[in-house]
Amino acid sequence: MDLSQIRRLIDLMAKAPIAELEIEDNGRKIRLTRARSDQAVPVISTPVKSAETETTGTLPSPTVVANAQETITAPSYGVFHLAPSPDAPPYVAVGQQVEAGQQVGLLEAMKVFNPVRASVAGTIEAVLVAGGTEVDMGTPLFRLV
């Protein structure tokens, strides 16, 4: 199952009166869950193998940004938000120190907001994506030094 198929499933689920969808395809599972509007439910997704993983048996190489020690990437598909609301200050700014596990943004998919967290400690050198931008899994969001 590729990313475009997953996006179509998300779009269909947004229009349908179902709260949960689980699909198995060639030994891989994907589970989509919609939170009720009156509760916040974390979404846990099962990793999906890419075509490169199936062909070579190895994971695809991460995106490398020149002169960077580390890049924070999008953990899934969605709309990336730099702040918790339009009138709130951003979670992080260029030059700010972050700790591993610290929230640096939000990803919104199907009206469900999931935190984006720093995988390692470092200093934000650059914000690579504007707030409100639709991103794919693995899109570089921040560059750390």
Side-chain angles (χ1 to χ4, degrees):
M1 184 171 297
D2 65 14
L3 191 56
S4 65
Q5 290 173 316
I6 294 170
R7 284 183 182 162
R8 282 194 299 268
L9 289 173
I10 290 170
D11 291 340
L12 289 171
M13 192 172 167
K15 296 173 187 172
I18 59 173
E20 188 172 304
L21 176 66
E22 185 171 326
I23 296 175
E24 186 170 346
D25 181 31
N26 294 327
R28 294 173 304 222
K29 285 185 183 179
I30 183 165
R31 181 176 176 205
L32 302 173
T33 305
R34 179 193 337 232
R36 293 189 338 226
S37 60
D38 63 338
Q39 73 180 146
V41 176
V43 175
I44 301 170
S45 62
T46 304
V48 177
K49 293 180 183 177
S50 71
E52 183 175 339
T53 302
E54 290 177 19
T55 307
T56 64
T58 61
L59 293 174
S61 301
T63 304
V64 178
V65 178
N67 301 325
Q69 291 181 350
E70 192 69 38
T71 303
I72 299 172
T73 60
S76 64
Y77 162 79
V79 176
F80 178 65
H81 298 282
L82 290 165
S85 67
D87 57 340
Y91 288 103
V92 294
V94 172
Q96 181 178 342
Q97 292 280 338
V98 295
E99 298 298 321
Q102 178 179 341
Q103 185 170 348
V104 295
L106 280 175
L107 267 180
E108 175 188 6
M110 293 180 19
K111 307 250 187 253
V112 175
F113 292 85
N114 293 299
V116 175
R117 300 194 182 278
S119 54
V120 295
T123 302
I124 301 289
E125 181 181 59
V127 178
L128 305 173
V129 176
T133 303
E134 188 175 308
V135 297
D136 291 325
M137 181 174 159
T139 301
L141 304 172
F142 298 93
R143 187 171 50 227
L144 300 177
V145 290

